[in-house]
Amino acid sequence: MSRDEREYEPESFDDGEPDNSAEDFFNLHGEVEEQVRAALGERGPVPTREEIVEPDPTGEIASATADLDDQEDLLAHSDQNLDLDAVEDILNLRWPETKIEPSLHRISRLLQVLGSPETSYPVIQVAGTNGKTSTARMIDALISRIGLRTGRFTSPHLQSVTERISLDALPISEDDYVRTFADISPFIDLVDAESLREGGVALSKFEILTAMAYAAFADAPVEVAVVEVGLGGTWDSTNVVDAHVAVIAPVGMDHMHYLGDTITAIAGEKAGIIKVGATVIIAEQESAAMDVIIARAVAMDATVARYGSEFSVLHRDVAVGGQRLTLQGLGGTYEDIFLPLHGTYQAHNAAVALAAVEAFFGAGPGKALDLGAIQDGFAAVASPGRLERIGSQPTILIDAAHNPHGAKALAVALTEEFSFSRLVGVIAIMGDKDARGILTALVDSFDAVVVTTNSSPRTMNLDDLAALAVEIFGEERVHTARHMRAALALATELAGTDQADSANADSADSEAANADSGSGIVVTGSVVSAGDARALAGRQIQ
């Protein structure tokens, strides 16, 4: 095993979620707690959003939180001169997205005092282990092309938290993100104080982001919201909505410490998004997971459409820049679909997305959607960080695979759609993920690997990851670098440049040709790892 010894200044990225629970910020003790209880008194009637002209017209919020003034890190005052970094600093003091509890009480209460914005538009909700974000983006693109105004909430983000909340298929601006946070801040303080008084904790970061998205969608206003579940389903803060269409993407083993250590337990959590009378679009699943999802659908009197039965991929050809598909939808056959994404799994995601959109518009046998709109919608799809090409000479691909299921799909796609003469993997994995499973899935994909760290504090220790990689790949294939910039530099040296690269560089279609042959680099192991590499390449989310 060799180690890259160059000295680089560490890069600065949006660093994901903090690993600490920050409980010290969210638990009041002794005298302060008694003062809060006295200040709050009995909960009065809740004002509706329409009744509130000013953030605190009666002084209720100021009175309720008066004795929290010494806890400045808890409070998010709307009169601060906030920018995006300041908002992130405030939110990062709260419970991170990796910490949840089985309760929707706090998010429900926050949305209640905001006037229930989540009820002002229909919702398509997407749960599952892998493929959620790509499927949500496809649904968004199709509905936008058909002509409705969309809002989309996805997680996690690659480079900027603003990516999570999109209007008309584009991330909201930093100014709008900050303004939305400032608008709901007084109500966050109110709900925090109530929860603390009752012995609970303050709102988590993800609960606040969810409320921001739902409020932004109502303010826009949107005609449909596409909402990706953050973690699980049943107790995810997004699950306060009554989704008209529930999509269950492929279910695999991930987040076992929260969702359970069996596929049936995890599927049960995912299926929690299925509500009474909904239409459920189910991706290809292991039989045990499918049984659980179907049982939930039956209990909720939901209509079911399954991949391989009611909809499917009829034909698929690899094409320059993506693939061409023929899809069987709920309403008919859709031919000559160009999807500018790689991988069989993305074709399956496309079939799921199409069925979800058909279900939303009420399509059925003999009642297909307009083929031209579907073709245009799919052609416009982008899914950053999902087998995305960000560089050439050598070709650099990034993929957000962060569990064994996703890594296996990546391995298949690399085999089926690319013919690199030499391929180097750059791998950084979160410390709470199944690193052994991820590396094992990729063992036959790379001629060499550079193991490194990413910009999240949750990144796996470099020495621990290197030792595991040596065990799986063999010492001769494993190299290390202290951070992503150094890792990419080393991987570029290891990949080298061969005659195919040189010839392709002079061709009119060098991008497409170079993606199919020559040397290449794949950055993977985490969403944050993909985002770090993307930022280094100077790419912005569109």
Side-chain angles (χ1 to χ4, degrees):
M1 179 175 63
S2 64
R3 180 177 296 275
D4 179 67
E5 299 293 348
R6 300 179 193 81
E7 293 296 327
Y8 291 94
E9 290 297 319
E11 57 273 19
S12 175
F13 300 106
D14 184 292
D15 61 3
E17 307 304 329
D19 196 33
N20 64 305
S21 64
E23 290 187 14
D24 289 343
F25 292 102
F26 302 135
N27 290 284
L28 299 180
H29 301 285
E31 183 179 348
V32 175
E33 183 177 4
E34 291 303 315
Q35 291 172 350
V36 172
R37 293 179 184 277
L40 285 170
E42 294 298 322
R43 184 183 303 170
V46 178
T48 66
R49 188 168 187 156
E50 292 74 15
E51 292 170 337
I52 298 175
V53 179
E54 301 175 5
D56 190 17
T58 65
E60 175 190 3
I61 297 172
S63 174
T65 62
D67 293 299
L68 296 178
D69 287 342
D70 290 335
Q71 307 286 325
E72 288 295 328
D73 289 331
L74 269 175
L75 300 178
H77 298 297
S78 59
D79 60 351
Q80 290 177 336
N81 292 320
L82 295 174
D83 59 16
L84 183 64
D85 289 338
V87 172
E88 282 298 275
D89 287 343
I90 291 169
L91 292 179
N92 281 338
L93 294 172
R94 295 172 176 271
W95 270 14
E97 294 171 76
T98 53
K99 185 170 185 176
I100 62 172
E101 66 171 343
S103 173
L104 296 177
H105 174 73
R106 291 186 303 274
I107 181 63
S108 297
R109 174 64 174 156
L110 178 56
L111 292 170
Q112 183 186 27
V113 298
L114 289 173
S116 301
E118 79 284 3
T119 65
S120 62
Y121 39 78
V123 173
I124 300 174
Q125 192 173 18
V126 185
T129 303
N130 291 294
K132 299 190 301 292
T133 298
S134 294
T135 301
R137 282 180 163 271
M138 291 181 199
I139 292 170
D140 190 357
L142 292 174
I143 293 177
S144 294
R145 182 60 186 84
I146 289 171
L148 296 188
R149 188 170 198 200
T150 60
R152 185 182 72 240
F153 183 53
T154 56
S155 63
H157 58 273
L158 274 174
Q159 293 167 254
S160 172
V161 71
T162 59
E163 301 163 25
R164 298 176 180 233
I165 305 173
S166 293
L167 295 172
D168 301 317
L170 295 173
I172 64 172
S173 68
E174 291 187 6
D175 287 345
D176 285 343
Y177 181 92
V178 172
R179 178 189 56 77
T180 301
F181 174 75
D183 284 348
I184 73 171
S185 287
F187 306 99
I188 294 171
D189 295 343
L190 176 61
V191 174
D192 281 348
E194 290 180 351
S195 182
L196 291 165
R197 182 195 67 179
E198 296 167 357
V201 298
L203 289 151
S204 70
K205 178 176 181 177
F206 191 70
E207 286 173 326
I208 293 173
L209 291 174
T210 300
M212 287 172 61
Y214 290 164
F217 296 161
D219 287 343
V222 303
E223 294 171 286
V224 58
V226 183
V227 175
E228 176 188 348
V229 168
L231 195 161
T234 301
W235 301 112
D236 188 76
S237 64
T238 63
N239 202 31
V240 292
V241 296
D242 186 4
H244 294 59
V245 178
V247 178
I248 309 295
V251 174
M253 301 299 289
D254 201 2
H255 301 292
M256 286 86 80
H257 50 299
Y258 285 119
L259 306 180
D261 58 3
T262 65
I263 196 70
T264 54
I266 294 173
E269 289 295 318
K270 308 290 186 183
I273 70 167
I274 301 172
K275 307 295 172 51
V276 175
T279 297
V280 187
I281 307 300
I282 309 175
E284 189 171 29
Q285 306 286 351
E286 294 183 25
S287 60
M290 181 66 80
D291 290 345
V292 171
I293 297 166
I294 292 293
R296 169 72 179 186
V298 170
M300 294 293 102
D301 195 25
T303 301
V304 172
R306 300 154 296 172
Y307 181 89
S309 295
E310 287 75 27
F311 64 94
S312 65
V313 177
L314 295 180
H315 186 76
R316 172 180 175 271
D317 286 320
V318 175
V320 174
Q323 50 194 309
R324 290 203 172 274
L325 309 172
T326 299
L327 301 178
Q328 177 61 55
L330 304 180
T333 301
Y334 299 80
E335 298 181 335
D336 198 24
I337 302 294
F338 175 69
L339 181 68
L341 302 175
H342 297 284
T344 301
Y345 64 96
Q346 293 290 20
H348 290 182
N349 290 341
V352 171
L354 174 61
V357 174
E358 287 184 300
F360 179 79
F361 285 106
K367 189 182 177 182
L369 299 176
D370 178 72
L371 177 60
I374 298 304
Q375 290 172 330
D376 291 347
F378 275 123
V381 167
S383 193
R386 276 69 183 177
L387 206 49
E388 178 189 15
R389 188 176 187 276
I390 63 168
S392 58
Q393 297 184 47
T395 295
I396 302 176
L397 302 170
I398 59 174
D399 191 86
H402 57 276
N403 54 44
H405 188 276
K408 290 174 184 176
L410 170 61
V412 171
L414 290 173
T415 298
E416 289 183 348
E417 302 196 21
F418 300 90
S419 55
F420 293 107
S421 60
R422 180 170 175 80
L423 189 59
V424 178
V426 174
I427 303 174
I429 300 172
M430 295 300 194
D432 59 350
K433 294 295 184 177
D434 181 3
R436 179 179 294 277
I438 293 170
L439 295 177
T440 300
L442 297 171
V443 69
D444 295 324
S445 297
F446 302 127
D447 298 288
V449 294
V450 180
V451 296
T452 187
T453 60
N454 60 42
S455 60
S456 170
R458 292 170 47 224
T459 191
M460 188 173 180
N461 176 272
L462 179 58
D463 291 336
D464 292 342
L465 182 58
L468 186 59
V470 167
E471 179 185 337
I472 294 170
F473 284 87
E475 187 171 3
E476 69 283 354
R477 283 202 284 168
V478 177
H479 308 260
T480 66
R482 293 183 296 106
H483 51 71
M484 187 61 69
R485 187 186 299 274
L488 285 171
L490 179 56
T492 300
E493 291 184 6
L494 293 170
T497 302
D498 62 19
Q499 293 180 352
D501 288 329
S502 300
N504 288 334
D506 296 329
S507 72
D509 195 15
S510 61
E511 281 200 10
N514 208 31
D516 289 332
S517 61
S519 58
I521 297 169
V522 177
V523 181
T524 190
S526 165
V527 175
V528 176
S529 302
D532 286 355
R534 204 174 193 278
L536 284 170
R539 296 295 184 98
Q540 298 296 319
I541 300 293
Q542 299 295 326

